[in-house]
Amino acid sequence: QVQLQESGPGLVKPSQTLSLTCTVSGGSISSGAYYWSWIRQHPGKGLEWIGYVYHSGSTYYNPSLRGRVIISVDTSKNHFSLRLSSVTAADTAVYYCARDRDSSGFSVLGYWGQGTLVTVS
Amino acid sequence: DIVMTQSPDSLAVSLGERATINCKSSQSVLYSSNNKNSLAWYQQKPGQPPKLLTYWASTRESGVPDRFSGSGSETDFTLTISSLQAEDVAVYFCQQYYSSPPTFGQGTKVEIK
């Protein structure tokens, strides 16, 4: 059973860069045609897809964040990462990493990390 | 982006009664290649990540109780909990995966009356 765990600073200053890592266990990032995603949830609000990375390194970013976000993968460490630059208070949210339920290529999220709260202040 | 709108924002249902949540997409999410609707439902309990309930509008994820059922087509979808249990208190989200970026509804909070 694949498991995901987010890690990184819980507090980031405005204008700085938010950096999070998602460590995958119970399976290899480089095996299987899965997309590895970052999603965030503003306090008490809905869910926003940030983007995803394929094991090859190819990426897709939500246009609403394009220009500020980079998602990368390190198959040797079996983790993938999120960098969001020039953060403001509006980027305060719980950040989740997740994986598709299967390798069909459709963005149906079957596996989630527990989430990590990042506060910009 | 496809806008997903859920209704109601919240509802209170008695234990054992039916709960119905609606989700409307701003355009059709019917995937022509397999004639299936690219719509998923998730359940989120406080302090937990979302949990996948159904996908392709009506396919139940493994391990999900059969009291949860999804239905609908093109732009109008429904999640039904046939007999509400105490453990079903949560926020429910619909999500389209027809086009990028994938987008979610705003959520519907289900409580016990």
Side-chain angles (χ1 to χ4, degrees):
Chain A
Q1 175 86 342
V2 65
Q3 294 183 309
L4 300 91
Q5 180 65 59
E6 306 88 352
S7 60
L11 183 64
V12 181
K13 294 184 184 303
S15 80
Q16 294 192 343
T17 296
L18 178 161
S19 296
L20 296 174
T21 295
C22 181
T23 300
V24 178
S25 59
S28 171
I29 281 183
S30 56
S31 66
Y34 301 112
Y35 288 89
W36 304 87
S37 296
W38 287 98
I39 298 97
R40 69 180 181 180
Q41 186 170 32
H42 295 99
K45 304 280 186 173
L47 297 153
E48 178 182 26
W49 209 296
I50 299 170
Y52 49 69
V53 64
Y54 196 57
H55 66 80
S56 63
S58 62
T59 55
Y60 170 84
Y61 303 132
N62 191 323
S64 68
L65 295 168
R66 197 168 285 164
R68 293 203 296 136
V69 62
I70 297 174
I71 299 175
S72 59
V73 62
D74 188 333
T75 55
S76 67
K77 296 181 179 178
N78 217 38
H79 74 208
F80 62 107
S81 300
L82 168 70
R83 287 175 58 85
L84 182 66
S85 61
S86 304
V87 297
T88 69
D91 294 309
T92 293
V94 174
Y95 286 76
Y96 294 101
C97 59
R99 198 208 82 178
D100 296 349
R101 68 170 301 279
D102 58 35
S103 57
S104 64
F106 294 101
S107 298
V108 178
L109 297 170
Y111 301 91
W112 294 71
Q114 282 300 305
T116 187
L117 174 63
V118 179
T119 301
V120 178
S121 177
Chain B
D1 296 6
I2 296 178
V3 177
M4 308 299 291
T5 304
Q6 292 181 228
S7 62
D9 288 335
S10 65
L11 76 161
V13 176
S14 300
L15 288 172
E17 296 299 306
R18 179 185 301 260
T20 301
I21 302 168
N22 300 302
C23 174
K24 190 174 186 67
S25 57
S26 60
Q27 66 184 74
S28 174
V29 297
L30 179 63
Y31 190 59
S32 57
S33 295
N34 62 7
N35 200 37
K36 294 184 178 182
N37 292 279
S38 307
L39 191 285
W41 286 97
Y42 299 84
Q43 173 194 64
Q44 186 177 33
K45 297 181 179 180
Q48 295 184 20
K51 171 189 173 184
L52 177 65
L53 296 177
T54 67
Y55 55 99
W56 292 125
S58 61
T59 301
R60 201 177 298 115
E61 177 68 322
S62 175
V64 173
D66 60 7
R67 63 180 181 273
F68 292 94
S69 63
S71 62
S73 185
E74 300 222 26
T75 61
D76 292 279
F77 301 92
T78 300
L79 176 70
T80 301
I81 309 173
S82 61
S83 176
L84 191 74
Q85 305 299 303
E87 61 265 32
D88 301 335
V89 169
V91 178
Y92 293 84
F93 295 93
C94 60
Q95 176 232 323
Q96 66 80 19
Y97 49 95
Y98 176 82
S99 69
S100 293
T103 49
F104 295 87
Q106 81 277 16
T108 295
K109 186 174 185 179
V110 174
E111 300 172 307
I112 305 295
K113 184 187 292 183

